Amino acid sequence: MSTPVISSREADVLALLGEHLSNAEIAARLFISVRTVESHVSSLLRKLAVPDRRALSRRAAEFAPVQMAAPVLPAPLTAFVGRVRERGELAEALKKHRQVTAVGPGGVGKTRLALAVAAELAGDFGDGVWFVDLAPVTDPGRVGAAVAAALGVGEQPGRGIDDSVFAVLADRQALLVWDNCEQIRDGVAPFLERLLAACPRVRVLVTSRARLMVPFERVFPVPPLSRAGGGDSEAVELFLERSAAVGLSWDPSVRDTVVALCERLDGMALAIELAAARCPTLGLDGLVAGLSDQLRILAGGPRAADRHRSVRAVLDWSHDLLEPADRALLRRVSVFVVSFTAEAAAELAGFAPLDPGAVADGLGRLAEQSLLTVTPSADGTRYRALETIRQYGAERLDGAGESAAVRTRHVEWCLDRAAGLLDTGGADWRARFDAVAEDLRAALAWAAEQPRLRADAHRLALSLAESAFTRNLPGESQQRYEQAAALAGADADAGESLRLAAAVAGCRRLGDDMFRLHRAAAEAARRAGDLAGTGRDLAAAATVAYRFSSEFTRIPAVEETAAMLAEARELSGAGSRGPAPDLGAVRGPSASASPSPSASAAVALAEAAVLADAFGAVQGATDNTVEETIALAERAVVLAHRAGDPVAESAALDALSGARSWAGDSFGAADAARRRIDLLTPLPPTPARTHELLDALAMASGTALGAGGLAEARRWGRQLAGHPLLAEAGHHATSWLLVADAFAGRGGEVLTGSGRFLDAWERGGRQQSFSLGPAAASVAMVHGLRGDLAARAEWLGIVDRAGTAEEYRHGYGAILDAMVLLHDGDAAEALDRLAPEPERVWKWVTWIWLHWYVALRAEASVLAGHPDARARTAAARSLVAGNPVATAHVDRADALLDGDRPRLLATAKAFEAAGSRYQAARTLLLAGGEHAAAGAAALAESGLGR
């Protein structure tokens, strides 16, 4: 028998059950919600096939949780020396203060000290110690993105990457080490303040050459290595250790010379290490003589300034000892902001006086002198300069007058790498992107400021936008598309970039941004003289305002969108709207030329959205007729198909699906949603296609459920749950799968999935949407069927916040509550929950709930002995014809009404064939006798037993 797969969090919960703790105590110990604990307990009961908590406690020892190692800190290549006092004091400062800044000049040893202290304190932080290298970051706005990348946090739809970081760390006990913050202090300070406010158990250790100047900062000055103790000082110990590493051993008689040397170098760690690296070739005497000449110029000035100068002096001295070719190589590779390969260095630096073929040897010589560090990687040996040395090399590059030439070559190299990323895939694509991403960003930042390179900057911004989207960095992708629009040489190119940015904003569930960007695209088209394009983009903005109204923080005024639609119709040449898909009515008297097919399609969709409210918008009118809505939606589908735009056709089919649902045509709604999947699946994963596909999967799952296609609903729901763009948004990803599984009677799957849903919903700011309410209510229903009233009450509380009161009261809530009440034998109360005639609650039960409502209402009428029971079953039968699950409900109701047991048992097989495990089992319970035991066993197998 296979061993059940227990997740690490389930193992944590199981271990605490072994200590006989309550759910509340477990929640407090693990810093998670009680509801999450309950979900994990339910999952464990199912996976381990045990009846109760006591049995779980007995099995706890078998599944002792695997202790996750703390996140890996960078592993220094050399031993850490000295700093006993500073390590203790910095550790104490971090225990007393939530934010400490280790301040000191470049080369003093801030990073090594911070890493040593972080490693010592790792055991004090249950959720680990995380290292964030901010040296490559040049944009203050990308501090949050850098922290997210280090933590492995992705962006959640509806919120920026900063908020995603705060959500993930909200209840974590973690230490973050942020290295090299001085160049982006303007971005570090505000992000840090928000982080500490949102994450009360997080502490942050910052290294910087200057303090952050924020009120909550505790500054820890990092001094040079101590020279106290003469030959036994920390500074001497470091010199001897590093020189021993290159094969040297020293006679005690030279110790005084080493002491004097370290004193001259002011105890600066980097200066001492660079000097020690030269010993094999110069010897101690040559080293002292060479440094004496360099340091002679440093007389006078404050001591702190001398410490800066001592590192510069050693760098100058090390630089002057290099051959001319190696000097050129050092300054040229300083343009790389992260590690690089010898091949990359040859492309960038291999021009006169350097021979490209000699670059690899030069890198080796620089590494031997500790001017570069060397690390192995999957794509070969990589080189990197410490930040202090890289900045020194950049200054030398400027001094040599080569900065523009080398940085231009860097831009060209980045363009080539960006193009290569777009042209190739593979399992290592993500790693290859991460290896060059910071260089792409740095090259773009520089090129964007060079008028002569504007075209290159535009290309690079587009490439980075596309790669970032593929890498599941939609926030950066949108930013880069908007940057590309600003850099575009032609308004037409700017408009295309803005439309791409709008599509990415759609994937992020940011309605306001979608609206703004489509309007900006319209203005770009207007500047380009493209009036039809202007109309198309205005129509797209108007459609967004209605189609995605629940994703806005400020819904545009109805008058504003109506005016945009009117202008769009005039500019596009689409003429007045037609009442049906009669393309002869497309041209109006105002159209002076043949209308643009894409513009006409966009205007038609906007009319269906704004004038007929096909999408059921928050601000939508209620006085349109169903026939008008269907006609306008069908017209939009025809025009989009004629325009040859599958994405636009999918959007129009979404309108048609909504229109069909308002007409009570559940099968037509499902068919339109299914056609969207067929259209979109073969297309490349562009932002617009991805946005449409995410919406289409949700709609296909929901409408399949409404038509009784449980297997289809689960298939589309699984695809949505597994989409990589929703990896950080488990509530949106799993919502329809939870609903489909609940209606299918897969209680164990629902309880397992509810943990992901709840955690993501809480991290995501407890959002409200049309799909989150039904998902939470479905989990509540499963708990109700299991008889866990406390858990059901808690999930109903989530429904109150995740959905809307009217939808729950009159729509899905009535159906799910009735199922629990019928299960409990409360037929009269179930009938009361479904008392309104369907036409009285039409707005809430159309779309996907209509068949379920009338079928359950008929059954409740039978079981409650309502005098109109037979009439209600007859009316329901006519309405749900073709829906296998709803038809089985009506058949069961008629069998119960007639007391026909064989016919009743036949419905159990019908439910089973339709994929409704729960209703099949419940039928056996209703049949009674020897069938009841089989029904109870089937419920237990489905995770719904009591």
Side-chain angles (χ1 to χ4, degrees):
M1 183 176 179
S2 62
T3 302
V5 178
I6 303 298
S7 71
S8 60
R9 182 58 88 186
E10 287 172 341
D12 292 335
V13 171
L14 185 58
L16 296 178
L17 286 171
E19 298 178 23
H20 306 288
L21 299 185
S22 68
N23 284 357
E25 290 169 328
I26 294 172
R29 185 79 67 86
L30 297 179
F31 302 101
I32 57 179
S33 70
V34 174
R35 292 185 295 273
T36 301
V37 175
E38 292 169 348
S39 295
H40 288 313
V41 171
S42 298
S43 177
L44 287 166
L45 289 169
R46 179 180 59 82
K47 288 182 177 181
L48 300 182
V50 295
D52 51 34
R53 292 171 65 95
R54 182 176 299 177
L56 282 178
S57 299
R58 288 195 294 268
R59 298 203 59 182
E62 301 174 30
F63 295 92
V66 178
Q67 296 299 319
M68 295 177 65
V72 178
L73 291 170
L77 301 178
T78 54
F80 186 79
V81 174
R83 299 286 195 189
V84 176
R85 177 182 63 81
E86 291 93 331
R87 287 165 75 170
E89 291 178 354
L90 182 54
E92 283 301 312
L94 274 170
K95 291 176 182 178
K96 294 178 181 178
H97 305 280
R98 293 188 58 210
Q99 194 273 308
V100 179
T101 303
V103 174
V108 76
K110 301 183 296 295
T111 300
R112 292 298 301 271
L113 175 62
L115 288 173
V117 171
E120 290 175 3
L121 295 179
D124 295 342
F125 295 90
D127 291 298
V129 180
W130 303 82
F131 181 81
V132 184
D133 183 9
L134 293 173
V137 180
T138 56
D139 180 357
R142 289 197 53 79
V143 171
V147 175
L151 296 174
V153 172
E155 185 178 334
Q156 297 181 359
R159 56 170 51 193
I161 193 66
D162 291 8
D163 290 330
S164 296
V165 170
F166 303 150
V168 167
L169 292 175
D171 60 353
R172 300 292 181 92
Q173 183 187 33
L175 172 63
L176 308 183
V177 181
W178 295 359
D179 196 31
N180 295 303
C181 293
E182 57 275 353
Q183 83 282 5
I184 48 168
R185 286 188 299 165
D186 291 346
V188 168
F191 180 83
L192 182 57
E193 185 168 5
R194 293 176 62 203
L195 172 70
L196 295 177
C199 311
R201 303 176 67 241
V202 168
R203 293 176 184 256
V204 182
L205 172 58
V206 165
T207 75
S208 177
R209 297 187 185 188
R211 58 175 297 182
L212 302 179
M213 304 298 289
V214 289
F216 49 81
E217 178 181 33
R218 176 73 174 190
V219 176
F220 182 86
V222 179
L225 287 166
S226 171
R227 280 95 70 208
D232 295 323
S233 70
E234 292 178 344
V236 170
E237 182 184 359
L238 177 65
F239 181 87
L240 295 177
E241 196 280 335
R242 295 296 188 261
S243 56
V246 293
L248 299 178
S249 59
W250 301 105
D251 187 273
S253 61
V254 303
R255 188 162 290 245
D256 289 344
T257 304
V258 175
V259 170
L261 177 65
C262 292
E263 183 66 37
R264 286 189 173 189
L265 296 177
D266 293 310
M268 296 294 284
L270 178 58
I272 292 171
E273 292 188 345
L274 291 172
R278 281 292 184 180
C279 279
T281 54
L282 297 178
L284 190 58
D285 291 343
L287 188 64
V288 170
L291 286 173
S292 295
D293 289 340
Q294 285 292 323
L295 297 177
R296 194 172 296 135
I297 65 173
L298 298 179
R303 190 62 176 164
D306 283 350
R307 289 172 183 159
H308 282 285
R309 292 173 185 172
S310 64
V311 173
R312 178 172 292 280
V314 174
L315 286 170
D316 286 340
W317 170 76
S318 295
H319 176 269
D320 291 345
L321 289 175
L322 296 174
E323 294 295 324
D326 289 348
R327 295 179 197 173
L329 181 59
L330 179 64
R331 64 178 180 260
R332 291 173 183 177
V333 297
S334 70
V335 173
F336 289 112
V337 294
V338 292
S339 60
F340 54 89
T341 62
E343 179 185 15
E347 288 187 47
L348 187 70
F351 62 95
L354 273 177
D355 179 354
V359 166
D361 288 340
L363 293 173
R365 288 189 294 273
L366 293 176
E368 290 171 2
Q369 307 307 323
S370 293
L371 294 168
L372 295 177
T373 59
V374 184
T375 55
S377 73
D379 59 347
T381 302
R382 300 187 73 88
Y383 300 84
R384 186 175 185 179
L386 294 176
E387 184 61 15
T388 299
I389 296 174
R390 193 176 76 83
Q391 292 178 9
Y392 175 84
E395 291 179 6
R396 285 284 183 173
L397 189 67
D398 288 338
E402 293 182 340
S403 183
V406 175
R407 293 187 183 280
T408 298
R409 292 173 72 97
H410 185 233
V411 170
E412 293 169 353
W413 180 84
C414 286
L415 281 168
D416 182 64
R417 292 303 176 277
L421 285 172
L422 298 176
D423 292 341
T424 59
D428 65 339
W429 186 93
R430 177 172 178 162
R432 288 188 288 113
F433 172 83
D434 290 345
V436 299
E438 289 297 348
D439 272 299
L440 300 184
R441 292 163 183 144
L444 174 57
W446 182 79
E449 299 299 321
Q450 312 301 314
R452 64 185 178 83
L453 295 180
R454 188 182 182 92
D456 286 340
H458 175 251
R459 288 171 51 212
L460 189 51
L462 284 176
S463 295
L464 187 51
E466 186 173 347
S467 293
F469 186 79
T470 304
R471 178 62 175 79
N472 285 342
L473 299 173
E476 180 176 8
S477 179
Q478 180 183 332
Q479 173 195 355
R480 301 305 178 189
Y481 277 127
E482 293 194 52
Q483 186 177 16
L487 291 166
D491 288 317
D493 293 336
E496 179 59 27
S497 295
L498 290 166
R499 283 186 285 275
L500 288 165
V504 179
C507 295
R508 301 176 68 201
R509 303 178 71 90
L510 299 177
D512 304 79
D513 277 6
M514 289 184 73
F515 186 74
R516 170 181 62 83
L517 290 163
H518 278 302
R519 295 199 69 174
E523 292 308 307
R526 195 191 303 274
R527 291 192 302 271
D530 180 6
L531 296 185
T534 304
R536 176 200 58 217
D537 292 324
L538 286 173
T543 299
V544 163
Y546 277 73
R547 186 182 180 195
F548 302 107
S549 59
S550 63
E551 298 175 9
F552 278 73
T553 56
R554 186 197 70 82
I555 298 175
V558 172
E559 297 76 14
E560 180 182 10
T561 50
M564 290 169 58
L565 174 56
E567 184 181 5
R569 291 173 61 211
E570 180 179 356
L571 292 174
S572 67
S576 59
R577 61 189 172 110
D582 175 8
L583 298 186
V586 173
R587 292 180 177 84
S590 63
S592 58
S594 298
S596 157
S598 62
S600 296
V603 169
L605 181 58
E607 289 176 342
V610 177
L611 302 179
D613 191 27
F615 299 108
V618 174
Q619 73 275 33
T622 58
D623 57 353
N624 58 291
T625 65
V626 169
E627 293 77 12
E628 179 187 32
T629 307
I630 292 175
L632 288 173
E634 287 179 335
R635 179 170 178 267
V637 172
V638 170
L639 290 173
H641 182 75
R642 174 167 287 189
D645 185 345
V647 172
E649 189 173 351
S650 169
L653 283 168
D654 190 28
L656 181 59
S657 184
R660 293 284 185 200
S661 73
W662 305 138
D665 181 4
S666 299
F667 302 111
D671 178 67
R674 193 182 308 113
R675 286 166 61 190
R676 297 177 66 192
I677 304 290
D678 295 338
L679 275 172
L680 297 167
T681 298
L683 303 180
T686 63
R689 178 265 192 183
T690 300
H691 182 215
E692 275 297 318
L693 182 61
L694 290 174
D695 184 76
L697 287 171
M699 295 303 100
S701 181
T703 55
L705 179 68
L710 294 179
E712 262 195 326
R714 295 188 68 247
R715 181 166 74 251
W716 304 136
R718 281 197 302 270
Q719 287 189 31
L720 185 67
H723 197 285
L725 201 63
L726 297 180
E728 300 294 328
H731 48 323
H732 291 295
T734 62
S735 57
W736 285 111
L737 183 58
L738 286 172
V739 177
D741 277 342
F743 276 88
R746 297 174 177 269
E749 285 90 337
V750 171
L751 295 180
T752 300
S754 67
R756 179 185 175 192
F757 175 93
L758 183 58
D759 286 343
W761 180 70
E762 290 181 335
R763 288 200 316 270
R766 301 185 176 186
Q767 298 168 325
Q768 183 182 81
S769 91
F770 78 97
S771 63
L772 299 182
S778 296
V779 179
M781 182 195 74
V782 168
H783 282 297
L785 296 179
R786 290 168 53 85
D788 191 341
L789 299 183
R792 173 169 167 77
E794 291 191 7
W795 275 93
L796 288 177
I798 297 171
V799 174
D800 288 341
R801 287 167 286 172
T804 63
E806 287 184 305
E807 285 179 305
Y808 176 74
R809 176 62 190 163
H810 301 301
Y812 62 83
I815 295 162
L816 295 166
D817 287 351
M819 288 176 70
V820 175
L821 292 167
L822 288 171
H823 184 89
D824 291 338
D826 296 332
E829 193 171 346
L831 183 57
D832 183 65
R833 192 72 178 85
L834 299 165
E837 295 289 339
E839 56 267 21
R840 287 180 52 200
V841 291
W842 195 257
K843 181 176 181 180
W844 313 113
V845 300
T846 52
W847 187 44
I848 69 172
W849 309 115
L850 179 61
H851 288 186
W852 296 95
Y853 188 90
V854 298
L856 284 168
R857 188 169 182 268
E859 184 174 315
S861 297
V862 170
L863 292 172
H866 194 279
D868 294 333
R870 193 170 296 279
R872 289 181 176 180
T873 60
R877 181 178 302 282
S878 174
L879 184 62
V880 306
N883 181 324
V885 183
T887 297
H889 271 287
V890 177
D891 287 344
R892 185 169 67 187
D894 273 340
L896 290 168
L897 187 61
D898 295 337
D900 187 340
R901 196 178 192 197
R903 198 166 145 216
L904 177 65
L905 291 172
T907 65
K909 294 180 179 179
F911 278 121
E912 192 71 44
S916 183
R917 294 179 178 179
Y918 164 67
Q919 295 298 347
R922 181 167 177 269
T923 303
L924 296 178
L925 292 177
L926 290 170
E930 69 276 16
H931 302 290
L939 287 177
E941 184 180 351
S942 297
L944 297 173
R946 298 193 175 186

